[in-house]
Amino acid sequence: MKLSEWPRRMMLPLRALEDSLFPPTCWVTGRPVRREDRGLSPQVRRRLEQFIAAPFCRRCGATLGPWASPAGCQRCAQRRLGVGEMIRAGPLQEPLGRLIRRLKFQRLWAVGPLLAEQVYTAMRYHGAAPVDVWVPVPLHWRRRWRRGFNQAEEIAAALGRLSQRPMAAGALVRRRGTAPQTATVSRTARLANLQGAFIARIDPRLAGRQVWLVDDVCTTGATLHAAAAALKALPGPYRPASINAAVVAVTDSTPIPGGETF
Ligand SMILES: [Zn+2]
């Protein structure tokens, strides 16, 4: 029997479920959208596509002008970043910033898969290296407990479903409650704040595999660097073959052409 032939009383709860997943209003603008728009108005989707297509530095994720080389940019030339390759869905600007805040602070779960879709599209568009396993950047247990969830894990789980590759959520542990990275300003201060912040557990799923770290926002790269350092400190046979990073957004104010205001 086709879905459209189901008795109406069976369809109603399904419709309600669908509406809660893909509400008839845009997650960004709050304006009405069609069901097939899946929670984002067409102009928001167009802007997100422009974000994905914009050239960026494959080391630090910064948006690049036509003068820079994708192998590295001025911003990251002097930095050790710890990850082989970085992919991002866009700069931390609207509408991407608003979507991240919807997930992180308003706990709108349906936005997690939507952000993962943006990241996965960026990976395919820019020909990212293959993935064996996704490792979300963990929160300290106390912060996770207070927030009730880890947004990086929500995104990594959705990436796992899209790519049919596993997520190893417990592979990294945040050892101590570091000060929130937004409170520490310089990159040196951030690196010092994070030194030894992660430990990697021995996990056969990571041994000799191509690991992709997942996070919502990358600011200076210090968090990813510390997470990668912990994975590299695993005993030889358990060490990943490569460590890359997929993030939703990189803090970057470089304008991307074609902008609309949201
Ligand atoms: Zn760079």
Side-chain angles (χ1 to χ4, degrees):
M1 195 196 313
K2 279 194 216 153
L3 202 63
S4 56
E5 293 161 2
W6 283 19
R8 194 174 149 69
R9 65 189 160 78
M10 282 170 73
M11 286 299 290
L12 280 175
L14 279 176
R15 282 264 183 266
L17 177 69
E18 209 181 328
D19 279 345
S20 69
L21 289 175
F22 308 120
T25 53
C26 173
W27 288 118
V28 174
T29 63
R31 288 198 286 264
V33 291
R34 296 167 305 172
R35 194 184 297 275
E36 56 268 33
D37 289 333
R38 297 166 57 234
L40 289 178
S41 59
Q43 68 268 35
V44 170
R45 282 207 186 267
R46 262 198 307 279
R47 190 62 181 142
L48 291 173
E49 281 165 19
Q50 289 170 346
F51 277 16
I52 286 173
F56 62 93
C57 172
R58 294 292 278 266
R59 286 193 75 228
C60 73
T63 305
L64 294 178
W67 59 88
S69 140
C73 71
Q74 263 183 340
R75 189 172 103 142
C76 68
Q78 306 300 323
R79 291 184 194 170
R80 288 185 308 131
L81 289 164
V83 292
E85 161 171 47
M86 168 124 54
I87 296 278
R88 99 287 189 266
L92 188 61
Q93 295 172 20
E94 304 316 335
L96 209 46
R98 199 172 302 177
L99 284 172
I100 292 171
R101 291 194 298 277
R102 292 259 194 263
L103 172 66
K104 204 165 168 174
F105 302 116
Q106 298 182 336
R107 301 159 193 237
L108 296 169
W109 307 107
V111 178
L114 224 143
L115 292 173
E117 219 176 277
Q118 297 301 311
V119 174
Y120 199 55
T121 306
M123 290 180 76
R124 283 185 300 181
Y125 184 90
H126 293 283
V131 182
D132 288 327
V133 56
W134 304 98
V135 175
V137 171
L139 295 175
H140 186 261
W141 70 264
R142 212 174 293 133
R143 189 173 305 165
R144 194 201 146 105
W145 179 71
R146 268 203 306 266
R147 188 175 286 170
F149 72 107
N150 172 7
Q151 66 282 359
E153 201 176 310
E154 294 300 313
I155 296 160
L159 279 166
R161 290 191 292 272
L162 283 169
S163 60
Q164 317 244 298
R165 294 286 183 274
M167 167 179 73
L172 277 175
V173 178
R174 204 143 188 157
R175 187 144 59 174
R176 53 192 162 81
T178 45
Q181 281 294 72
T182 42
T184 47
V185 182
S186 76
R187 178 172 158 84
T188 323
R190 282 168 185 262
L191 278 172
N193 181 35
L194 283 163
Q195 208 162 34
F198 298 98
I199 45 167
R201 286 195 180 128
I202 286 184
D203 186 330
R205 289 174 296 181
L206 270 51
R209 310 313 296 270
Q210 313 210 58
V211 169
W212 278 77
L213 290 167
V214 179
D215 211 352
D216 56 341
V217 175
C218 172
T219 303
T220 62
T223 304
L224 291 172
H225 180 86
L231 291 174
K232 286 175 188 170
L234 279 165
Y238 294 102
R239 218 171 283 155
S242 64
I243 305 166
N244 297 310
V247 301
V248 178
V250 167
T251 48
D252 187 351
S253 54
T254 312
I256 288 183
E260 286 175 56
T261 314
F262 296 100

